[in-house]
Amino acid sequence: AQKVTQAQTEISVVEKEDVTLDCVYETRDTTYYLFWYKQPPSGELVFLIRRNSFDEQNEISGRYSWNFQKSTSSFNFTITASQVVDSAVYFCALTPNAGNNRKLIWGLGTSLAVNP
Amino acid sequence: GAGVSQSPSNKVTEKGKDVELRCDPISGHTALYWYRQSLGQGLEFLIYFQGNSAPDKSGLPSDRFSAERTGGSVSTLTIQRTQQEDSAVYLCASTPTEYNSPLHFGNGTRLTVT
């Protein structure tokens, strides 16, 4: 089965706290791509990162970092020193095999509220 | 440059009426997608256009749903005889090519069927 699970439905933190959003996936394919998208209150999903299954290096982009672990089928997302502007729904997604946006499998999202 | 533009941003309609939702993709993007986002559910793929190829309609939930893309640019999603279960946010996205290119989304159209 192909599946993406974001177990945390809602998270609430206070500004400047670090927060990790979990993403666990299931796939039979050896080649696949993982994505994170952010959906702020305006509604427009914004691409954050893409990772292919052969690249397990963690990535850091400013306050954002991603931890990809094939051994646990997880692709977790950490925001360091969270800010109010980080408040959004975050989606993890998987596209199996060679990658095809029509086959994207989406998690249900984690709603993050960062309070001042 | 301009992003993906969708209109209207909100649409309230009575059950049984037809609605048209519009998407203007990023210039030069050959691939265009429609997704539906319902409360408590993930994004649901509806239909895909790539250049002049026949669209992939495999995600359309019923024959009341149809879409077209004119001149390889603007797309219209039409829902006939709307039902309350059609209430959702309809998102359009485009990409330069299909394979694993990150999606560029519009702000969506929130459809409410009363």
Side-chain angles (χ1 to χ4, degrees), chain A residues 28-98:
Chain A
R28 295 182 297 270
D29 296 291
T30 55
T31 303
Y32 51 89
Y33 288 83
L34 294 162
F35 298 80
W36 276 95
Y37 283 85
K38 173 183 179 179
Q39 187 176 36
S42 62
E44 176 185 350
L45 280 100
V46 177
F47 165 77
L48 295 178
I49 191 171
R50 174 183 62 200
R51 172 67 74 234
N52 75 55
S53 53
F54 296 108
D55 181 2
E56 283 194 75
Q57 281 194 336
N58 293 330
E59 178 145 345
I60 298 175
S61 176
R63 296 183 297 105
Y64 295 173
S65 62
W66 291 269
N67 183 358
F68 177 29
Q69 292 196 338
K70 289 179 75 171
S71 61
T72 55
S73 297
S74 65
F75 187 42
N76 296 338
F77 172 34
T78 297
I79 302 174
T80 302
S82 60
Q83 299 178 2
V84 172
V85 293
D86 295 327
S87 297
V89 181
Y90 291 85
F91 291 93
C92 181
L94 161 74
T95 181
N97 204 359

Side-chain angles (χ1 to χ4, degrees), chain A residues 33 35 37 39 42-45 47 50 91 95 98-102 104 106-108, chain B residues 33 35 37 40-43 45 48 56 91 95 98-103 105-107:
Chain A
Y33 288 83
F35 298 80
Y37 283 85
Q39 187 176 36
S42 62
E44 176 185 350
L45 280 100
F47 165 77
R50 174 183 62 200
F91 291 93
T95 181
N100 180 329
N101 284 314
R102 284 176 281 171
L104 268 171
W106 296 83
L108 297 184
Chain B
Y33 308 75
Y35 289 89
Q37 185 177 26
Q41 300 186 26
L43 273 74
F45 165 74
Y48 161 79
D56 177 353
L91 293 163
T95 62
E98 177 184 15
Y99 285 88
N100 70 61
S101 297
L103 294 159
F105 283 89
N107 286 341

Side-chain angles (χ1 to χ4, degrees), chain B residues 14-95:
Chain B
E14 292 180 355
K15 178 182 172 181
K17 300 283 190 183
D18 298 352
V19 295
E20 284 190 353
L21 312 180
R22 177 188 167 103
C23 172
D24 200 344
I26 292 174
S27 178
H29 281 195
T30 60
L32 185 148
Y33 308 75
W34 283 97
Y35 289 89
R36 179 167 69 176
Q37 185 177 26
S38 303
L39 195 62
Q41 300 186 26
L43 273 74
E44 175 188 7
F45 165 74
L46 297 178
I47 189 169
Y48 161 79
F49 296 90
Q50 171 64 284
N52 295 320
S53 303
D56 177 353
K57 305 178 183 180
S58 60
L60 294 178
S62 78
D63 58 9
R64 296 186 296 103
F65 287 72
S66 64
E68 61 178 22
R69 188 178 184 190
T70 54
S73 181
V74 172
S75 176
T76 303
L77 176 69
T78 301
I79 309 173
Q80 296 178 310
R81 305 181 302 282
T82 51
Q83 304 295 311
Q84 288 187 330
E85 60 263 28
D86 300 333
S87 296
V89 176
Y90 290 83
L91 293 163
C92 177
S94 68
T95 62

